Amino acid sequence: MADTLTLTRPDDWHLHFRDGAMLAGTVPATARVFRRAIVMPNLTPPVFNAADAAAYRERILAAVPAGIEFEPLMVLYLTDNTTAADIATAAESGIVYGAKLYPAGATTNSDSGVRDPAAITALYEALEKHDLPLLLHAEVTADDIDVFDREKVFIDRYLNDIRRQFPALRIVFEHVTTLEGVQFVRDAGELTAASVTPQHLMLNRNDLLVGGVHTHNYCLPVLKRRDHQQVIQQAVLSGHPRFFLGTDSAPHARHRKEAACGCAGCYSAPAALELYATFFDEHGALDRLEAFASHFGADFYRLPRNTDTVTLVRENWQVPDAQEMDGQPVVLWQAGRTLPWRLLD
């Protein structure tokens, strides 16, 4: 049994840094592992245009520790007021790598999101024209739709039509959580991919609800039944090239998570690669980790694969309980768990 595992340096194709003082904690946690990251734009206020993206990018770069090479890949936040000109300018900026569709009210800081995904076809057309990927939080938000069915209904109500009407549009099904989502990506062809989080690989809704509500496992889209989890696992373990690493790491201060109405999000960045390695190891598939973490996402985003490496060692260590950010403790996802792989600094 090998005691070390050296990989092409990975990228994180979906995460949340937040803003302001929190960047001093979130950016180094990601930059020590990942060479690039697709940075979600749901700030307050959001990243509406290329100028917002450039300003946010500079704030992120200012938080990167000296001596570390890290590139934030910026994303526009689509709204009902976004224009085709906004998308053209973003595509020409050289720093924006996608546009995110949040259905209004779907998740954290999504109030400015799109009210009707079927009504913004001009934006899909502009994204297709400028070859800028559409990144989807693929859930409906109607009150009459069960929270566990919202991903499937989004596919049926909107996504099949979007895929059919815009065949040259690259689409990333972010943080896929259902067997229907996996099947959609499999069937939709080479211009459709999915990011996969550690929590949706390693957990199902029993881990959220059995024995009480486990608030630090609460994320959106919410964890689903075990049969959905197994289909996601199979897609990843099979080495399918259009399923790749995207942590959806999302920090919240402890008092906001452990509250009567706890925030959605799992802060996994400080242990992300080790968590994925643990999953692949448990399933006898460590040889598939590098492609999932380091190759497939870069290929889909049409970026060069990284040339430097990271090394994991087979050595037990414990995920810390919390990380201090902006004067507040942020509980790590899987805090206290002993993992068998540790990243060499």
Side-chain angles (χ1 to χ4, degrees):
M1 184 180 294
D3 293 325
T4 64
L5 181 63
T6 297
L7 310 171
T8 302
R9 190 172 174 189
D11 303 299
D12 188 343
W13 298 102
H14 181 115
L15 93 161
H16 300 265
F17 277 141
R18 307 305 186 202
D19 204 357
M22 289 192 82
L23 293 176
T26 57
V27 174
T30 288
R32 68 181 282 267
V33 185
F34 299 99
R35 177 64 179 80
R36 298 170 292 211
I38 285 283
V39 181
M40 290 296 104
N42 56 330
L43 308 181
T44 305
V47 177
F48 288 131
N49 53 46
D52 294 339
Y56 185 30
R57 181 175 184 271
E58 290 306 309
R59 298 196 297 275
I60 293 168
L61 289 173
V64 177
I68 292 181
E69 292 186 2
F70 175 76
E71 183 180 4
L73 308 177
M74 310 312 294
V75 176
L76 287 195
Y77 185 117
L78 296 180
T79 75
D80 293 334
N81 297 317
T82 303
T83 66
D86 292 329
I87 290 170
T89 302
E92 293 163 1
S93 72
I95 63 167
V96 174
Y97 289 84
K100 183 65 179 283
L101 192 162
Y102 290 105
T107 189
T108 303
N109 295 340
S110 62
D111 291 346
S112 299
V114 173
R115 287 173 293 179
D116 180 5
I120 59 167
T121 53
L123 302 186
Y124 305 141
E125 183 178 12
L127 291 170
E128 183 181 54
K129 175 181 176 181
H130 295 285
D131 193 28
L132 202 62
L134 172 65
L135 316 183
L136 292 171
H137 184 115
E139 290 192 293
V140 298
T141 56
D143 291 341
D144 61 328
I145 304 299
D146 189 288
V147 67
F148 293 105
D149 296 331
R150 289 181 172 185
E151 187 167 293
K152 178 184 183 303
V153 173
F154 187 93
I155 296 169
D156 295 340
R157 189 172 291 179
Y158 302 114
L159 190 49
N160 286 321
D161 287 341
I162 295 170
R163 178 71 290 168
R164 183 166 49 252
Q165 291 175 43
F166 302 96
L169 174 63
R170 281 186 288 159
I171 295 175
V172 181
F173 199 123
E174 301 282 19
H175 40 52
V176 64
T177 71
T178 62
L179 60 88
E180 291 88 0
V182 169
Q183 194 60 51
F184 176 85
V185 173
R186 285 185 178 276
D187 293 345
E190 63 180 11
L191 296 184
T192 306
S195 61
V196 183
T197 76
Q199 61 266 28
H200 292 107
L201 275 176
M202 302 174 78
L203 304 181
N204 57 65
R205 66 188 187 184
N206 279 3
D207 300 292
L208 174 64
L209 299 171
V210 171
V213 177
H214 302 278
T215 183
H216 292 287
N217 290 340
Y218 174 52
C219 57
L220 289 172
V222 71
L223 297 167
K224 304 300 194 299
R225 296 192 309 270
R226 179 158 175 75
D227 55 344
H228 293 284
Q229 177 196 13
Q230 289 173 326
V231 171
I232 297 167
Q233 291 175 337
Q234 290 162 6
V236 168
L237 293 169
S238 73
H240 193 294
R242 287 185 281 111
F243 293 85
F244 45 73
L245 185 155
T247 62
D248 196 19
S249 180
H252 295 280
R254 184 199 295 269
H255 72 279
R256 296 188 183 278
K257 281 291 287 181
E258 299 174 2
C261 184
C263 295
C266 300
Y267 180 52
S268 59
L273 189 58
E274 294 95 332
L275 288 161
Y276 283 112
T278 298
F279 167 78
F280 277 84
D281 195 11
E282 289 174 347
H283 290 80
L286 274 174
D287 60 320
R288 302 288 176 91
L289 174 60
E290 183 177 41
F292 171 78
S294 310
H295 297 167
F296 295 156
D299 295 347
F300 187 82
Y301 276 89
R302 299 175 182 166
L303 293 170
R305 296 178 181 181
N306 298 322
T307 56
D308 53 341
T309 61
V310 297
T311 297
L312 295 159
V313 294
R314 192 181 292 277
E315 179 182 300
N316 287 345
W317 69 289
Q318 193 172 69
V319 179
D321 287 338
Q323 179 182 343
E324 198 78 9
M325 290 190 215
D326 193 18
Q328 297 288 338
V330 175
V331 175
L332 276 63
W333 186 64
Q334 298 289 285
R337 177 173 175 175
T338 298
L339 300 178
W341 289 96
R342 182 177 64 82
L343 182 72
L344 282 181
D345 288 317

